[in-house]
Amino acid sequence: MKVLHLVDTLGLGGAQALLKGLFESESFDQNYFLYALRKTDNQIKINHRNINCDQSIFKLSVFRLFRVKKFIKKHNIDILHCHLPHSQIFGFLMKKFFFKNVTLVIHEHSDIYENNIILWLLDKMNRKVEKYIACSISVKNKLIKRTQISQNQIEVLENFIDAKKLDYSKRLKERNHIREREQLADDDFVLGFAGRIVARKGWRELIAVANNLNSEHTIYFYIAGAGPEEKQLKAQIKNERIRFLGYISDMNWFYSIVDCIT
């Protein structure tokens, strides 16, 4: 059975990080394919031979629709798994007009919290979709409350972190070296936040807590990520224990230094 994951871009984001983990854990499985609809300046690299990116830089393109159709036909795709809004629309159009027998899966990564139009679209797609995947129970509940999608159609699949990257015992020497370089004492506690810098990720709440935290223990907040609200985040930092790192390409470094992920 051949599965095509369709995603808007390979830019920085939670959906892309999830796909990177999935494909690299199945690097030898040639029945998995990934197709990104648009090329962006900053793209993640995924170690798998079946990674494809459309060379168009435009968000909307009629010609791209036919390139995706050609790709699905060429590789005899059985399951079309769609991530993010544009890919969800593309998947629906593929199912409706070209591939009646393909199994359509819509993966909702919480964009419905920022745009009610997406909720409306997901509702309209309902009759063509075999399964919806929600990244949290909250997303599932919102879909049930605001659409006609049956709860039996929705499965919750929470985003994952590779537990091997959190194994301090394998990198204790590296961890101690990094903490020394960061001028952290042995008993300093580091709370980490990694994600796209947008409101729904909760960075505002984290900054508010960190700015007002009084503790007998030394707690540092390390924030990794990039996004449209970086300037607002930096402007709200009032505590010297909050350290905004921006985008980090090597997350092993980040996982080595933190004691807890939020």
Side-chain angles (χ1 to χ4, degrees), residues 62-77:
V62 175
F63 299 106
R64 185 187 297 129
L65 190 68
F66 293 100
R67 289 195 290 271
V68 173
K69 175 190 173 186
K70 182 179 179 180
F71 188 92
I72 293 174
K73 185 176 181 179
K74 175 183 177 181
H75 295 285
N76 298 312
I77 299 300

Side-chain angles (χ1 to χ4, degrees), residues 84-118:
L84 305 180
H86 285 94
S87 297
Q88 292 165 357
I89 295 171
F90 263 62
F92 172 75
L93 294 175
M94 289 294 123
K95 172 89 173 186
K96 182 176 178 64
F97 294 110
F98 304 119
F99 303 100
K100 307 290 184 181
N101 296 324
V102 73
T103 298
L104 181 59
V105 178
I106 297 295
H107 199 136
E108 178 48 49
H109 293 271
S110 75
D111 293 274
I112 55 176
Y113 286 103
E114 294 185 349
N115 194 333
N116 286 327
I117 295 177
I118 298 174

Side-chain angles (χ1 to χ4, degrees), residues 1-104:
M1 187 169 290
K2 295 185 177 181
V3 182
L4 172 61
H5 287 264
L6 204 61
V7 67
D8 290 11
T9 73
L10 289 178
L12 310 177
Q16 291 84 352
L18 179 70
L19 287 167
K20 177 179 174 65
L22 172 64
F23 273 79
E24 291 189 348
S25 68
E26 301 290 345
S27 59
F28 297 105
D29 193 331
Q30 300 310 309
N31 291 320
Y32 282 153
F33 298 84
L34 188 149
Y35 193 105
L37 295 179
R38 179 165 56 91
K39 185 178 181 181
T40 56
D41 291 335
N42 296 315
Q43 296 196 150
I44 65 170
K45 294 182 180 180
I46 302 177
N47 183 26
H48 195 287
R49 65 179 295 181
N50 292 340
I51 307 301
N52 305 270
C53 182
D54 199 287
Q55 293 304 299
S56 174
I57 61 174
F58 302 105
K59 286 187 176 181
L60 301 175
S61 171
V62 175
F63 299 106
R64 185 187 297 129
L65 190 68
F66 293 100
R67 289 195 290 271
V68 173
K69 175 190 173 186
K70 182 179 179 180
F71 188 92
I72 293 174
K73 185 176 181 179
K74 175 183 177 181
H75 295 285
N76 298 312
I77 299 300
D78 301 295
I79 298 175
L80 189 54
H81 190 142
C82 304
H83 307 259
L84 305 180
H86 285 94
S87 297
Q88 292 165 357
I89 295 171
F90 263 62
F92 172 75
L93 294 175
M94 289 294 123
K95 172 89 173 186
K96 182 176 178 64
F97 294 110
F98 304 119
F99 303 100
K100 307 290 184 181
N101 296 324
V102 73
T103 298
L104 181 59

Side-chain angles (χ1 to χ4, degrees), residues 47-231:
N47 183 26
H48 195 287
R49 65 179 295 181
N50 292 340
I51 307 301
N52 305 270
C53 182
D54 199 287
Q55 293 304 299
S56 174
I57 61 174
F58 302 105
K59 286 187 176 181
L60 301 175
S61 171
V62 175
F63 299 106
R64 185 187 297 129
L65 190 68
F66 293 100
R67 289 195 290 271
V68 173
K69 175 190 173 186
K70 182 179 179 180
F71 188 92
I72 293 174
K73 185 176 181 179
K74 175 183 177 181
H75 295 285
N76 298 312
I77 299 300
D78 301 295
I79 298 175
L80 189 54
H81 190 142
C82 304
H83 307 259
L84 305 180
H86 285 94
S87 297
Q88 292 165 357
I89 295 171
F90 263 62
F92 172 75
L93 294 175
M94 289 294 123
K95 172 89 173 186
K96 182 176 178 64
F97 294 110
F98 304 119
F99 303 100
K100 307 290 184 181
N101 296 324
V102 73
T103 298
L104 181 59
V105 178
I106 297 295
H107 199 136
E108 178 48 49
H109 293 271
S110 75
D111 293 274
I112 55 176
Y113 286 103
E114 294 185 349
N115 194 333
N116 286 327
I117 295 177
I118 298 174
L119 270 171
W120 179 81
L121 287 171
L122 293 179
D123 197 14
K124 295 301 180 183
M125 294 176 187
N126 190 15
R127 285 183 291 179
K128 297 294 182 183
V129 179
E130 277 73 25
K131 185 65 68 176
Y132 290 87
I133 295 179
C135 68
S136 68
I137 294 175
S138 175
V139 169
K140 178 178 180 177
N141 291 339
K142 190 174 182 69
L143 288 172
I144 294 171
K145 183 178 180 179
R146 296 289 302 278
T147 72
Q148 298 300 311
I149 300 170
S150 167
Q151 62 178 337
N152 295 327
Q153 274 185 279
I154 309 171
E155 296 289 342
V156 175
L157 180 63
E158 297 180 345
N159 294 346
F160 62 84
I161 293 177
D162 187 350
K164 294 178 182 178
K165 294 181 179 180
L166 302 178
D167 188 350
Y168 291 161
S169 63
K170 293 183 178 180
R171 297 191 318 278
L172 185 59
K173 184 177 180 181
E174 177 187 5
R175 170 178 164 80
N176 292 338
H177 174 72
I178 293 172
R179 288 177 69 92
E180 182 180 348
R181 188 180 67 195
E182 291 289 315
Q183 298 182 337
L184 295 169
D186 291 340
D187 58 349
D188 288 343
F189 187 88
V190 179
L191 189 148
F193 170 98
R196 194 158 177 259
I197 310 302
V198 292
R200 71 172 185 267
K201 298 296 185 179
W203 69 263
R204 294 177 186 275
E205 292 77 8
L206 177 65
I207 293 294
V209 169
N211 281 333
N212 294 285
L213 184 65
N214 291 316
S215 174
E216 60 181 8
H217 301 290
T218 306
I219 301 178
Y220 287 87
F221 297 81
Y222 275 58
I223 301 174
E229 298 181 1
E230 286 184 45
K231 288 184 178 179

